[in-house]
Amino acid sequence: MGHFSRSLEPELLDHLPPQDPRAVRSRGDLRRINAIMGNARIIARHLGNATRIADLGGGDGSLMRGLAKKRNLEVINVDRMYGLEVFDFLQSPGPALDAIVANLFLHHLAGHDLRRLFSLAALRAPLFVACEPRRSRPALWASRLVGLIGANDVTRHDSVVSVRAGFTGQELSAQWPAVPGWTLLEKPAWPFSHVFVARRDA
Ligand SMILES: C[S@@+](CC[C@H](N)C(=O)[O-])C[C@H]1O[C@@H](n2cnc3c(N)ncnc32)[C@H](O)[C@@H]1O
């Protein structure tokens, strides 16, 4: 069950207007895919007592809304579909944050952008939690079957592209700024996810 090299290709959802019916439908598919991947549960496990949270590329916001129903969270959804760009957000002065999360977002970024994003994020919050597609053969196989849950053409394309752009090993840890005072965790999260956590030491 070997791994394969990371490749970045454009995702269709990123180039459709937010109100396009195919984009709306694809975001619905993403909600179901997040449920199958268990991504809300995976993120929640690492959030501790964080309440003020920025969700980078949060899409329709449903994942963090689901978590906010179970605990008291104030979430800023930093998504370009609402006119917010992650680099602008992270570079600008803003409210104090307990945590920054990213779900199915980091895989859009090339290595140099990941390094830049992590450097900015480390200055903005003491906790960073990401849940991304795992770049593995089983995940690639599953991504080719999303049509079975009724996913549309946009999602069928983007899910395969996302796994190819996903992560394995310690690839995200390698991009975190090499400064003391942070504890990193990076591992597979069953069945198809890859989790990365950076926590500033107390
Ligand atoms: C695959 S979707 C994931 C959405 C959501 N996190 C989820 O799990 O359903 C990626 C999201 O990232 C957003 N996005 C991509 N590049 C962005 C950027 N530079 N700044 C802000 N949002 C961005 C897109 O608009 C899209 O909603």
Side-chain angles (χ1 to χ4, degrees):
M1 217 59 92
H3 290 292
F4 44 96
S5 304
R6 181 166 194 242
S7 67
L8 276 181
E9 284 170 52
E11 294 189 26
L12 299 180
L13 184 58
D14 288 338
H15 299 282
L16 287 172
Q19 297 316 324
D20 183 295
R22 287 163 71 220
V24 172
R25 168 93 182 271
S26 182
R27 283 196 294 275
D29 296 338
L30 268 178
R31 288 195 287 276
R32 282 180 292 152
I33 289 171
N34 271 324
I36 290 168
M37 293 175 80
N39 289 343
R41 172 178 45 81
I42 293 165
I43 288 178
R45 201 181 288 154
H46 297 285
L47 273 183
N49 295 326
T51 54
R52 292 160 302 178
I53 297 170
D55 182 9
L56 304 185
D60 67 5
S62 57
L63 186 118
M64 291 307 290
R65 256 200 315 280
L67 284 186
K69 280 186 193 150
K70 297 178 192 153
R71 32 169 119 180
N72 184 24
L73 301 182
E74 287 168 39
V75 181
I76 304 172
N77 183 359
V78 186
D79 197 292
R80 59 164 58 137
M81 67 186 264
Y82 305 115
L84 292 175
E85 286 286 331
V86 293
F87 287 103
D88 292 347
F89 173 82
L90 290 172
Q91 283 173 133
S92 315
L97 298 169
D98 300 320
I100 295 174
V101 304
N103 184 64
L104 305 184
F105 170 67
L106 297 183
H107 69 274
H108 288 75
L109 304 179
H112 59 278
D113 283 330
L114 277 173
R115 280 193 293 284
R116 190 169 147 231
L117 184 143
F118 283 176
S119 302
L120 294 168
L123 299 173
R124 282 299 297 275
L127 176 65
F128 187 95
V129 181
C131 191
E132 292 295 317
R134 179 137 180 105
R135 201 176 71 249
S136 67
R137 296 282 167 201
L140 189 59
W141 168 81
S143 72
R144 292 186 175 126
L145 298 178
V146 295
L148 295 178
I149 59 162
N152 74 354
D153 63 312
V154 174
T155 316
R156 291 198 302 274
H157 173 273
D158 287 356
S159 46
V160 174
V161 167
S162 298
V163 170
R164 291 196 182 122
F167 302 99
T168 186
Q170 300 298 299
E171 290 174 343
L172 288 170
S173 303
Q175 311 290 0
W176 192 261
V179 291
W182 288 86
T183 301
L184 307 184
L185 167 80
E186 181 168 8
K187 59 179 188 175
W190 190 87
F192 305 120
S193 304
H194 182 84
V195 65
F196 170 70
V197 181
R199 190 181 299 277
R200 196 187 292 147
D201 300 335

